[in-house]
Amino acid sequence: MIAYTIRRLLAAVPILIVSSFIIFWVASLSADPIRQRFEGRNPPPPAATIQLERERLNFDAGFFRQYWDWLWNLVVHQDFGPSINSAMNIGSELGRRTVITFRLVILAMVLAVILAVVTGVLSAVRQYSRLDYTFTFLGFLFLAMPSFWLAVVLKQGAIAFNDSVEGNLNRRPIPTINHQASVVPEEFWPRMMDIALHMVLPTISLALITYAALSRFQRSSMLEVLNSDYIRLARAKGLSARRVMVRHALRTALIPLTTVTALGIAAILGGAVVTETVYQWRGMGDLLVTAVVAQDRYVTMGWLLVAGLFVILGNLAADLLYAVLDPRIRYE
Amino acid sequence: MRTGTRRLSGLIALAAATTLAVGACGTDGGSDAGKPSFSEGFAECEAKPNECNSGERKQGGTIVFAVNRGVQNWNQFSGDGNLVETVLILNTVIPSPFIFLPDGKIQQTELITEAKITSESPQTIVYKINPNAKWDDGTPITADDFTMMWKFQNGKDCPKCNVAGTTGFELISSITGADSGKTVTVTYSSPYPDWQGLFALMPAHVGKKAAGGDLNTPAALEKAFNSFTAQPTWSGWAYKIDKVVKDVQVEVVPNPQWYGSTKPTLDRIIFKMITDQKQNVPALQNKEINGFTAQPSSDMVTQVKNLAPGVNYEMTGGAVWEHIDVNVKNKYLADQKLREAIFTAISVQDIIQKTMSFWPGAKMLGSHNLLPGTPGYEDIVKKVAPDQGSGNIEKAKQILTEAGYKDVGTALKTPSGEAVPELRFLYREGIQTRLQTGELVQAALAKLGLKIKIEATANLSDTLDTYNYDLIIFAWSGNPLLSSNKDLWTTGAGNNKLGWGDPESDRILAEMAKTLDSAKQRQLLNQQDEIMTKAAVVLPLFAKPNLLALSSDYINIRDNNQGSYVTYNVENWGQKKAQ
């Protein structure tokens, strides 16, 4: 399995290079960020300033040279290139923000998977019952909801809730922006509580949208397994319903969900862009939005590279988990 | 006392904000007509923009004020650090000798005790620095600080300093200090009328230390200049930076070495970064912030109004003004009569009603050089070309008919019988209000027999630089440093995107740019404006509004659209004392 893992990782390198080249090309077609920054200034900026910026950002080099310099610096010096904000170190910015985003994404994903498994299994076991219809309705509802809309609705709901309890509690318990309070409590537990409360809305928002698709997969997968011969055999052998369900049916039914979950990492990163904007988290999503608006080419490149890496790792993890969940699968 | 707007760097940032501002304003015009532009707490702001929302402060308290963007580069004098948000925050720590008040008037600060012109040829200014003025580490503020700022920004001593602008500084021939550096003599090689808005200081001793003890070589200056991109550990004003949570918030606390007579009462000001303007109102509603400024949309205005009485708001005309320009390089539009007819057919009132209905204070702008409410403003359009912007189709037809145009109202032909081709109306991609304006222009000009094709451009600068338009709508940022208007309208000047020029207009602008008397300067600008208005090349539409929403617990906070921003009087900010 180790050899397989290494092979897969090596195979990812050309994929990343080709995709980075395409993205670099697309980014180079967008408007000139230097011109955009200085547009509308009266008096106009000194020509020397514009030239210094062009040199710093390597914009005077040809397209291929620019790409090669970027790639070379990345591989040899682990330098993601210059941001249009001269004081920004793209590498450390990506590192810092990845931690913030993954705190959100992982928790949302875990919550979404748990919800999906529970509701998917219950729906399958009680197929066509009122419960199944309710879960199905909710699943499609959240699936159809635009993530920004759900985030805004949750936010307004939280504000209304805060309004209703403020008189009694003398505080507004649910925050709606940032990943921490303006004045962070110094003691450990209040601080943890502050972090947890700031995660409530973005996590729910992201989890509900992710859960919707996963629950549908889980339901259909569970139904397929429950109708299979080996489950019938297990029941015929007199195994308890719980043992049949958990040991035999669920374990098999989780395999497709594993794939979908791993692939869902890319989707949830996309969802994080919206969620972070609405809740003003300074994570990867916010970084991408800011970079795209400012035409910050090298930041966009860095973001996509990191996101691409996580998608590849997610896919690899899915493949490896297959082997764990299904002993019949072996990687040579 | 320092109660007005700030400095050149702020003004450059103000201009830089134009692009962002117009981007952020790409929302619907909506409808909220008839509602006032000020809530109860700001009711006096229209009549008394410098004194409204004032009162007695209580000691203590914290304010959380939202800003639109995080700070990456703390050097507001650098090309990429010169952003509105950075200037707004650094107003709390950077000293400057003069500030601009919300009504556009200039006021001396307590950094200096006196500044006067001692000679007009060569222009020589003598500043007397407040003997008590010092940086927060106790180092006196002296001529050295003025000299360092000059060397950074004059374009000669530090050619690799990536400065936001050299205007004004490149005209200074020398700076000398006397009385232990507390008297500063600044001599200009040619007149610079906007000298009061020029200086804002960073500490020379800090720069010197970063440069290894020397500020005399280009390399050392560059090193010192770049060292200021880091978070300031110094202050020369009422507050100092205490804590920065990157991209989340900047916290400032009172500077114990503050030498001004108005002492801060707030324990802490937290500048909270809210990068999506739409999230400001919910954050204010949930009491996570106490105030924000923004270019408002209809929705935002309605939401803020619904927060009353706990939240006060004021909506005032900002420095960004919209206009429609005509490309006189187009051979058909080179004819002044056609341009006059076009401007007459366009109804500015309709455009305002359609795109700015949420702002009852919106009025047609009557000047190309001065903004309403600022000294010297006159409605030049009304004075010399009252039909322009009136939407008077019959009058427009009459202009064309009298000029010999044929088929007026059906398919317009020049006096020589040539069909006037379809004209291209350009607007910046994604800005809905400008598209709506284009549609109104299209409908109005159709009545003259002119076909208009509306096109979006993703790159406004390229479009303007290459004259790749017939009619175009965009915005300029009004600038209290009036001499910069020379760059906008002089034939062939860097920011003249019209292809238009007039020798008399150029002469007046040249004279204006070296006139030291501000009243005379404004008079000259109005003279130039008359020439330009008659030429019918730029139709001013309106100044865009700025919105300040503020929790009613806070006083002495009011908006300032003159380049100093809301923090122009930060030392006065406070929580309202109970009556």
Side-chain angles (χ1 to χ4, degrees):
Chain A
M1 191 180 283
I2 292 170
Y4 173 81
T5 306
I6 292 169
R7 269 206 313 275
R8 281 287 302 271
L9 286 174
L10 287 175
V13 173
I15 296 171
L16 280 174
I17 290 176
V18 171
S19 56
S20 73
F21 181 82
I22 293 168
I23 296 159
F24 198 88
W25 174 66
V26 171
S28 71
L29 296 177
S30 60
D32 182 339
I34 300 173
R35 296 200 67 161
Q36 182 173 298
R37 165 180 292 159
F38 295 130
E39 190 174 281
R41 287 198 183 188
N42 181 43
T49 295
I50 294 173
Q51 188 51 39
L52 281 169
E53 276 298 276
R54 294 196 69 81
E55 283 170 17
R56 186 177 68 79
L57 295 170
N58 201 21
F59 281 4
D60 284 338
F63 168 74
F64 290 104
R65 178 78 208 184
Q66 281 182 47
Y67 178 73
W68 174 251
D69 287 348
W70 173 78
L71 194 61
W72 178 262
N73 285 329
L74 182 66
V75 174
V76 177
H77 306 295
Q78 292 78 55
D79 177 2
F80 282 84
S83 162
I84 62 163
N85 293 305
S86 59
M88 182 196 277
N89 179 315
I90 298 176
S92 57
E93 195 74 17
L94 286 167
R96 190 173 63 84
R97 287 176 180 256
T98 301
V99 173
I100 293 171
T101 294
F102 270 74
R103 195 162 84 190
L104 174 64
V105 163
I106 288 168
L107 190 65
M109 194 53 114
V110 168
L111 192 65
V113 168
I114 292 170
L115 269 175
V117 169
V118 171
T119 58
V121 168
L122 286 175
S123 273
V125 171
R126 300 191 184 175
Q127 195 183 11
Y128 303 132
S129 67
R130 196 171 288 175
L131 187 73
D132 181 27
Y133 286 129
T134 306
F135 285 146
T136 301
F137 171 75
L138 288 175
F140 281 117
L141 182 71
F142 290 125
L143 207 54
M145 268 187 194
S147 53
F148 72 89
W149 188 81
L150 178 62
V152 169
V153 166
L154 281 173
K155 194 179 222 189
Q156 287 304 323
I159 291 170
F161 173 76
N162 286 339
D163 285 342
S164 66
V165 300
E166 189 182 14
N168 294 330
L169 299 178
N170 207 20
R171 64 190 179 92
R172 303 178 69 85
I174 309 216
T176 64
I177 50 165
N178 291 159
H179 62 278
Q180 61 179 48
S182 295
V183 181
V184 180
E186 284 179 11
E187 300 83 22
F188 179 76
W189 286 114
R191 195 172 185 166
M192 290 300 110
M193 179 58 81
D194 177 62
I195 292 172
L197 286 171
H198 276 84
M199 294 189 79
V200 170
L201 292 181
T203 307
I204 292 175
S205 176
L206 208 52
L208 284 182
I209 284 160
T210 314
Y211 134 84
L214 297 182
S215 72
R216 304 312 301 160
F217 276 107
Q218 183 61 28
R219 180 182 179 275
S220 60
S221 168
M222 195 70 186
L223 278 174
E224 196 180 325
V225 172
L226 288 176
N227 291 326
S228 62
D229 291 342
Y230 82 94
I231 292 293
R232 231 172 275 129
L233 179 65
R235 283 185 180 133
K237 279 167 69 182
L239 292 177
S240 69
R242 182 187 171 85
R243 194 176 168 89
V244 170
M245 199 62 65
V246 177
R247 288 287 302 274
H248 297 274
L250 182 58
R251 185 166 175 172
T252 311
L254 279 177
I255 295 174
L257 189 71
T258 310
T259 324
V260 178
T261 304
L263 292 172
I265 288 175
I268 204 168
L269 270 175
V273 172
V274 174
T275 310
E276 287 183 4
T277 302
V278 174
Y279 297 110
Q280 291 293 292
W281 275 48
R282 300 287 168 245
M284 290 282 279
D286 176 70
L287 182 67
L288 180 67
V289 172
T290 313
V292 169
V293 169
Q295 314 274 3
D296 203 339
R297 186 182 305 176
Y298 296 107
V299 174
T300 310
M301 291 295 299
W303 191 97
L304 290 164
L305 204 66
V306 171
L309 197 65
F310 280 115
V311 170
I312 287 167
L313 289 176
N315 285 342
L316 179 62
D319 287 350
L320 298 180
L321 274 172
Y322 273 161
V324 177
L325 293 168
D326 188 347
R328 292 169 304 177
I329 297 170
R330 287 288 175 267
Y331 295 115
E332 296 296 324
Chain B
M1 195 175 76
R2 176 190 152 102
T3 51
T5 149
R6 288 239 175 174
R7 46 198 152 259
L8 179 66
S9 56
L11 300 169
I12 296 170
L14 171 78
T18 308
T19 314
L20 304 167
V22 293
C25 211
T27 51
D28 62 304
S31 178
D32 216 359
K35 292 192 180 176
S37 305
F38 303 89
S39 66
E40 198 180 332
F42 286 116
E44 289 185 318
C45 284
E46 193 151 29
K48 297 178 183 172
N50 301 342
E51 289 98 35
C52 59
N53 189 37
S54 57
E56 210 176 335
R57 305 171 294 169
K58 73 173 186 186
Q59 191 60 44
T62 296
I63 184 170
V64 183
F65 199 88
V67 295
N68 214 5
R69 183 174 13 201
V71 180
Q72 294 283 345
N73 177 348
W74 286 93
N75 187 344
Q76 70 173 51
F77 305 96
S78 67
D80 62 314
N82 189 248
L83 302 170
V84 171
E85 296 75 15
T86 310
V87 176
L88 189 149
I89 294 169
L90 288 178
N91 273 351
T92 60
V93 301
I94 287 187
S96 54
F98 292 94
I99 50 170
F100 290 95
L101 299 170
D103 67 357
K105 288 180 185 145
I106 204 158
Q107 182 170 297
Q108 188 179 308
T109 72
E110 286 184 273
L111 171 65
I112 55 172
T113 55
E114 185 183 63
K116 63 177 179 187
I117 301 174
T118 56
S119 161
E120 290 204 0
S121 185
Q123 181 183 340
T124 306
I125 318 289
V126 176
Y127 296 86
K128 299 272 186 193
I129 299 175
N130 182 340
N132 299 321
K134 56 191 160 205
W135 299 101
D136 68 323
D137 62 0
T139 307
I141 297 176
T142 66
D144 289 349
D145 304 313
F146 280 74
T147 306
M148 182 186 74
M149 298 309 293
W150 167 53
K151 286 185 174 176
F152 280 163
Q153 297 175 91
N154 65 18
K156 295 167 211 142
D157 285 306
C158 184
K160 289 201 171 176
C161 286
N162 171 23
V163 292
T166 57
T167 306
F169 290 102
E170 86 277 28
L171 301 176
I172 295 174
S173 54
S174 70
I175 294 182
T176 53
D179 306 332
S180 308
K182 288 291 184 181
T183 299
V184 189
T185 304
V186 180
T187 310
Y188 290 79
S189 56
S190 57
Y192 183 63
D194 296 320
W195 61 272
Q196 287 169 306
L198 196 57
F199 278 101
L201 305 178
M202 297 194 291
H205 67 285
V206 173
K208 200 169 183 178
K209 192 175 170 191
D214 168 40
L215 279 178
N216 293 315
T217 63
L221 282 165
E222 186 191 351
K223 207 169 176 183
F225 186 76
N226 290 338
S227 74
F228 286 110
T229 58
Q231 177 194 325
T233 52
W234 45 266
S235 170
W237 205 251
Y239 285 85
K240 62 178 191 171
I241 293 175
D242 179 53
K243 190 178 169 190
V244 175
V245 183
K246 199 155 189 267
D247 297 322
V248 176
Q249 64 192 42
V250 176
E251 300 178 31
V252 297
V253 294
N255 172 9
Q257 297 280 6
W258 166 234
Y259 44 89
S261 55
T262 304
K263 304 296 177 196
T265 54
L266 290 170
D267 294 330
R268 189 170 289 270
I269 300 174
I270 298 173
F271 293 102
K272 174 82 80 180
M273 282 72 192
I274 297 190
T275 52
D276 180 11
Q277 288 206 1
K278 289 195 240 10
Q279 309 314 324
N280 278 322
V281 180
L284 188 61
Q285 195 178 358
N286 204 37
K287 299 181 183 172
E288 286 166 279
I289 61 170
N290 304 112
F292 70 88
T293 56
Q295 284 221 327
S297 63
S298 174
D299 289 344
M300 186 187 283
V301 172
T302 307
Q303 287 168 355
V304 167
K305 284 176 178 176
N306 288 337
L307 298 183
V311 170
N312 288 322
Y313 65 89
E314 64 164 320
M315 210 167 12
T316 49
V320 178
W321 60 283
E322 292 265 322
H323 48 93
I324 295 172
D325 292 13
V326 177
N327 179 6
V328 298
K329 285 183 183 285
N330 175 312
K331 72 171 185 176
Y332 302 95
L333 294 170
D335 181 6
Q336 185 172 327
K337 288 295 172 191
L338 179 57
R339 300 200 301 266
E340 282 176 20
I342 287 173
F343 281 6
T344 302
I346 295 171
S347 169
V348 175
Q349 207 49 47
D350 278 358
I351 293 170
I352 289 172
Q353 273 171 10
K354 179 91 175 171
T355 61
M356 289 284 128
S357 62
F358 59 87
W359 184 35
K363 288 177 193 140
M364 181 180 169
L365 185 62
S367 170
H368 299 83
N369 289 310
L370 300 170
L371 290 166
T374 58
Y377 172 80
E378 274 184 54
D379 192 339
I380 303 292
V381 176
K382 198 172 178 184
K383 185 177 167 188
V384 302
D387 290 323
Q388 287 189 18
S390 66
N392 187 339
I393 301 294
E394 291 314 309
K395 178 74 184 173
K397 284 181 175 174
Q398 188 190 334
I399 294 169
L400 291 172
T401 308
E402 285 173 3
Y405 279 82
K406 300 180 179 72
D407 294 339
V408 177
T410 50
L412 195 68
K413 292 191 179 69
T414 63
S416 62
E418 193 182 348
V420 178
E422 187 176 61
L423 299 175
R424 293 164 61 237
F425 180 99
L426 273 285
Y427 74 100
R428 189 178 184 137
E429 194 174 68
I431 303 183
Q432 190 64 22
T433 50
R434 291 187 178 167
L435 171 61
Q436 288 171 331
T437 303
E439 288 164 354
L440 291 170
V441 169
Q442 188 180 46
L445 299 189
K447 292 173 187 164
L448 303 183
L450 272 171
K451 276 189 185 169
I452 298 292
K453 185 183 178 194
I454 301 171
E455 291 178 21
T457 172
N459 194 334
L460 188 64
S461 291
D462 272 350
T463 304
L464 288 165
D465 287 349
T466 54
Y467 300 98
N468 188 16
Y469 66 93
D470 298 320
L471 296 162
I472 190 164
I473 181 170
F474 67 105
W476 280 118
S477 191
N479 191 337
L481 304 185
L482 299 176
S483 61
S484 64
N485 283 37
K486 184 176 168 232
D487 267 331
L488 285 178
W489 316 126
T490 300
T491 311
N495 269 344
N496 182 341
K497 311 290 185 190
L498 304 163
W500 173 83
D502 177 274
E504 180 59 8
S505 162
D506 293 352
R507 188 195 64 74
I508 296 171
L509 287 170
E511 190 186 337
M512 180 276 302
K514 56 185 181 187
T515 299
L516 298 182
D517 178 356
S518 171
K520 171 79 177 160
Q521 236 189 340
R522 289 166 194 271
Q523 209 178 352
L524 288 167
L525 281 171
N526 283 337
Q527 273 181 36
Q528 187 274 342
D529 218 316
E530 289 188 17
I531 296 170
M532 210 175 150
T533 303
K534 283 177 190 161
V537 283
V538 175
L539 180 65
L541 299 177
F542 51 84
K544 290 185 166 191
N546 264 13
L547 175 75
L548 165 65
L550 182 71
S551 163
S552 54
D553 300 337
Y554 294 89
I555 50 164
N556 297 337
I557 302 174
R558 58 191 79 94
D559 209 358
N560 182 323
N561 298 318
Q562 307 297 328
S564 298
Y565 314 110
V566 66
T567 47
Y568 78 99
N569 63 338
V570 69
E571 68 277 14
N572 281 299
W573 286 20
Q575 276 194 326
K576 197 181 281 181
K577 194 171 186 177
Q579 297 298 312

